[in-house]
Amino acid sequence: MSAMNLSRPTPRASVMAIAAYVPGKSAAPGAAKVFKLSSNETPLGPSPLAIEAFRANADHLAIYPDGSASALRVAIGKRYGLDPARIICGNGSDDLLGLIGHAYLGPGDEGLYTQHGFLEYPIVIRAAGAEPVVAPEKDFAADVDQLLAKVTARTKVVFLANPNNPTGTYLPFAEVKRLHAALAPHILLVIDAAYAEYVSRNDYAAGIELAAESENVVMTRTFSKIYGLANLRLGWAYGPASVIDAINRIRGPFNVNGAAIEAGVAALGDSAHVDKAVAHNDQWLPWLTKEIERLGIKGTPSVGNFLLLHFPKDETLSAKAADAYLTSRGFVLRAVGAYGLPNCLRLTIGTEEANRGLIVALADFMGRARG
Ligand SMILES: Cc1ncc(COP(=O)(O)O)c(C=O)c1O
């Protein structure tokens, strides 16, 4: 056992092993206009009804919110056909992922996720004192056989982002079911469906059916992406009563603020706004995919509201060089070296102006670097 440091409080070793999450940058110093395409936010913003509800909340800031977010759970239940008693809301889905980790993982346990999986997972796993285990992916997508090969007697939680960030790939529902069927009943499968609303594939499902029927599946969702409420921090999870009960015991008593509850309810009531966001994405994701490939940049086929760009090996055309050039032109993308993708950038689908401008800037970059 290592000697205890008595000169100051010492965090657990597993905490100090964490590489703190670095969010996508937002600044582009010197650029006339900045397009933030680094955090998968919606270019359409929130529903006007949600903004109105948020403003109305200013009249009662001194009063604690409803700690169980009942109105929001009822609204989510109505929208998705779910029992509100099996829903829990959080301060962003990050909050819920962390709570799931703390409730189900501890020293000696392993938490499993995929090679280019969302980087919050290793943080959550280590924060709980457990060991992160990484399963290789196939073509930048989760691979069920590789995941199952990494399951050991110590595995307690499997985190699966579906679709995955930052790759944009997804696992067909049949594959998710195959993964679940092969997991022992004491292993919790966390399906993180932050981008579910954007997916229009017949073989995709967010995981509601599995979470409804199993004792060991929980699905997390967010209001940060298609609902445009990232700044408010609002997410939810749906799962078996036992899992919701465990998370409820350890969450902050008022982990969701009143403005978020009311804006969330209003956002759920504006399905036309969500439809508009889907239509926008369906128009611009294929356009951007085609345009970048025309420029000689490879894109991983995406079903989300973002696209992973693979830059050529040539140093002058590298992701790092592109990032610097695009930022100077006001286009802020996400560097994804921390995801094991050092020569890639992740691009969020933006407004028409941002998308068209980005392609012009990228064309200039490729031309300049080559020329
Ligand atoms: C896959 C995935 N899960 C969860 C989150 C966290 O979202 P929230 O804003 O709800 O905490 C993100 C945000 O980028 C994400 O990409």
Side-chain angles (χ1 to χ4, degrees):
M1 211 166 109
S2 61
M4 191 160 63
N5 181 348
L6 297 176
S7 65
R8 62 176 189 201
T10 308
R12 281 185 282 114
S14 57
V15 171
M16 298 316 289
I18 291 173
Y21 188 84
V22 182
K25 62 182 178 179
S26 32
K33 187 166 179 183
V34 179
F35 299 94
K36 182 174 186 280
L37 305 170
S38 58
S39 299
N40 298 345
E41 295 134 333
T42 169
L44 272 57
S47 157
L49 300 181
I51 298 173
E52 206 177 296
F54 172 79
R55 289 211 171 103
N57 202 263
D59 294 338
H60 35 271
L61 289 184
I63 310 298
Y64 277 102
D66 166 15
S68 61
S70 305
L72 179 58
R73 289 187 298 106
V74 167
I76 294 168
K78 200 164 145 215
R79 163 69 183 77
Y80 293 96
L82 309 175
D83 176 3
R86 290 177 54 181
I87 294 169
I88 183 168
C89 298
N91 188 38
S93 50
D94 282 348
D95 180 30
L96 296 165
L97 294 168
L99 291 167
I100 291 166
H102 280 294
Y104 288 93
L105 290 168
D109 296 336
E110 290 174 355
L112 180 56
Y113 66 104
T114 67
Q115 188 180 357
H116 304 297
F118 184 41
L119 270 185
E120 185 68 16
Y121 308 147
I123 293 177
V124 160
I125 294 163
R126 283 214 162 94
E131 254 332 287
V133 176
V134 180
E137 295 185 355
K138 197 172 155 201
D139 298 332
F140 302 98
D143 182 277
V144 171
D145 296 311
Q146 295 282 6
L147 273 163
L148 292 175
K150 290 287 181 180
V151 171
T152 73
R154 291 162 48 163
T155 309
K156 293 284 162 56
V157 180
V158 177
F159 291 96
L160 177 75
N162 201 26
N164 185 48
N165 167 26
T167 54
T169 54
Y170 76 106
L171 208 50
F173 193 45
E175 282 295 281
V176 180
K177 284 199 277 200
R178 186 164 77 85
L179 170 65
H180 172 249
L183 292 175
H186 71 276
I187 299 176
L188 180 63
L189 174 61
V190 181
I191 304 176
D192 175 352
Y195 301 94
E197 294 84 356
Y198 284 109
V199 188
S200 49
R201 293 286 192 283
N202 288 335
D203 59 354
Y204 172 82
I208 285 179
E209 181 190 319
L210 264 187
E213 291 170 0
S214 325
E215 282 299 317
N216 65 335
V217 178
V218 62
M219 172 194 70
T220 59
R221 303 286 285 262
T222 185
F223 281 86
S224 299
K225 306 301 174 184
I226 207 156
Y227 288 105
L229 295 174
N231 194 1
L232 273 187
R233 312 304 304 127
L234 185 58
W236 57 280
Y238 171 69
S242 63
V243 173
I244 300 304
D245 173 59
I247 310 172
N248 256 320
R249 285 168 195 257
I250 59 168
R251 70 173 170 84
F254 303 101
N255 63 332
V256 181
N257 68 75
I261 292 172
E262 286 171 34
V265 170
L268 285 167
D270 192 352
S271 56
H273 189 75
V274 174
D275 293 347
K276 220 158 93 181
V278 171
H280 180 87
N281 207 60
D282 285 348
Q283 177 181 357
W284 290 102
L285 174 64
W287 186 82
L288 282 162
T289 307
K290 197 175 79 228
E291 291 296 315
I292 60 139
E293 301 228 333
R294 235 168 28 91
L295 296 174
I297 299 162
K298 221 179 139 334
T300 296
S302 171
V303 295
N305 67 330
F306 55 92
L307 185 58
L308 187 66
L309 314 187
H310 301 254
F311 284 82
K313 293 237 166 20
D314 182 335
E315 212 175 285
T316 55
L317 298 172
S318 70
K320 194 158 177 258
D323 193 20
Y325 180 77
L326 293 172
T327 303
S328 77
R329 297 270 300 252
F331 297 95
V332 182
L333 277 64
R334 179 73 146 104
V336 284
Y339 284 89
L341 299 162
N343 207 28
C344 296
L345 294 176
R346 190 193 65 199
L347 163 70
T348 303
I349 310 310
T351 57
E352 174 170 0
E353 182 190 5
N355 300 337
R356 290 193 188 280
L358 172 87
I359 291 301
V360 171
L362 257 183
D364 290 346
F365 167 74
M366 297 299 279
R368 257 173 51 131
R370 280 191 181 121

